[in-house]
Amino acid sequence: MRSTDVLQAIIDACGPPGGDEGILFGDREQEVTGIQVCWMASLDAIEHAGQAGDNLIIAHEDLYFPSWRPPGSATPVEYLSWRVNQRRLGLLAQYEIAVIRSHGSLDRYCIFAAFAEKLGLGAPVVNDGPYLKAYDLPPGTTYGALVERVKAALGMEAVRATLHDPAAPVRRAGLPWGGLGLFVNVGYMQSILKYGCDVFIAGESDNYGMHFAMESGVPMIETSHEVSENPGLAQYAQELQTTLPAVPVHFYENPMPWRWW
């Protein structure tokens, strides 16, 4: 089985890839000895794959910094000399690892739904396409109680949360998972307010995103980009192993890059 065959298996399950998806590095025709599924092909993830004998990584996030493509360019050529990109590419070359990115395809296929499932939210009461969903909370839920519930469900010691009254009632949650709580994506948060969401359970946010939520009168709980998307990627790794039984498939759980002091 070649790298291109694995890419086709992803397409068969998830649909046509977006413009930011596909094989980003490595030999498209190499024989695959093992597959790592991860959130990002970070240095620790690449090292783990190399030590495990996995010569293909399926990563959800971009391989390169900055995470965008100049118009008409397959790779950000002018940035490949950055140290961060050189270190990743050097380690990939050392272990002869190819990288496939599967971004929006996996968001639609399983990542959003797996985050909601991990939080124990049940079926969405609003289901307006792959990204526009809302979830009703049990009667009597308060913002403070929801914070504790999120921490317990995700196994987190602490989360960031906006400065709202912990005793305030919350009834319907929207999920700006991944990076949809960031300032560049406040349009997404605005789009789900129309469904009556009065609290957000987000992946990654920033101060702009937090101010948007606060000034919209909606509390927001931030879990982190990785934590909100790792459950779906773990689920997909299991499914891919069933689809490709002849090749070992491993899930690598990218840790958060910061800690509480």
Side-chain angles (χ1 to χ4, degrees):
M1 174 166 293
R2 303 166 300 166
S3 300
T4 51
D5 297 322
V6 177
L7 177 59
Q8 188 59 53
I10 298 171
I11 294 171
D12 290 344
C14 304
D20 60 348
E21 299 180 293
I23 298 176
L24 302 188
F25 181 83
D27 183 357
R28 303 175 64 89
E29 303 303 323
Q30 75 177 0
E31 195 68 21
V32 177
T33 58
I35 300 170
Q36 179 195 91
V37 177
C38 63
W39 175 75
M40 179 185 282
S42 54
L43 287 175
D44 52 310
I46 296 168
E47 182 65 39
H48 190 274
Q51 292 293 327
D54 298 335
N55 68 347
L56 177 63
I57 292 176
I58 300 173
H60 183 58
E61 298 298 339
D62 206 348
L63 174 60
Y64 305 106
F65 290 94
S67 183
W68 60 277
R69 298 287 181 269
S73 175
T75 56
V77 176
E78 58 267 46
Y79 300 104
L80 292 181
S81 63
W82 287 11
R83 183 185 183 199
V84 63
N85 293 326
Q86 285 287 303
R87 292 183 73 190
R88 287 186 178 185
L89 294 176
L91 199 56
L92 289 168
Q94 175 185 327
Y95 285 115
E96 299 183 345
I97 297 173
V99 178
I100 293 174
R101 186 186 189 192
S102 187
H103 189 222
S105 296
L106 284 179
D107 279 324
R108 293 187 297 271
Y109 185 67
C110 62
I111 288 177
F112 185 3
F115 183 43
E117 182 179 349
K118 187 75 173 178
L119 293 168
L121 295 179
V125 293
V126 174
N127 192 354
D128 192 8
Y131 299 144
L132 300 176
K133 303 177 191 295
Y135 299 82
D136 277 352
L137 301 169
T141 299
T142 64
Y143 179 44
L146 183 61
V147 169
E148 295 302 322
R149 172 177 170 176
V150 169
K151 287 164 55 178
L154 300 177
M156 299 184 73
E157 178 185 345
V159 294
R160 289 207 311 168
T162 53
L163 298 172
H164 287 85
D165 180 3
V170 289
R171 301 175 181 84
R172 179 169 292 183
L175 306 184
W177 85 103
L180 287 175
L182 292 166
F183 83 100
V184 293
N185 291 316
V186 295
Y188 174 77
M189 290 190 280
Q190 179 63 34
S191 72
I192 56 177
L193 285 178
K194 66 182 179 182
Y195 301 116
C197 296
D198 59 6
V199 65
F200 293 136
I201 307 173
E204 179 182 4
S205 188
D206 49 27
N207 285 16
Y208 267 65
M210 292 276 187
H211 277 287
F212 175 87
M214 288 181 63
E215 294 184 33
S216 297
V218 180
M220 181 157 70
I221 303 164
E222 180 194 32
T223 63
S224 91
H225 206 134
E226 301 92 331
V227 167
S228 70
E229 297 190 322
N230 274 331
L233 292 162
Q235 176 182 312
Y236 180 69
Q238 292 180 339
E239 182 174 320
L240 188 63
Q241 183 65 88
T242 301
T243 303
L244 306 176
V247 181
V249 179
H250 306 113
F251 168 65
Y252 177 76
E253 184 172 355
N254 288 95
M256 293 186 297
W258 49 269
R259 64 179 179 178
W260 296 280
W261 286 82

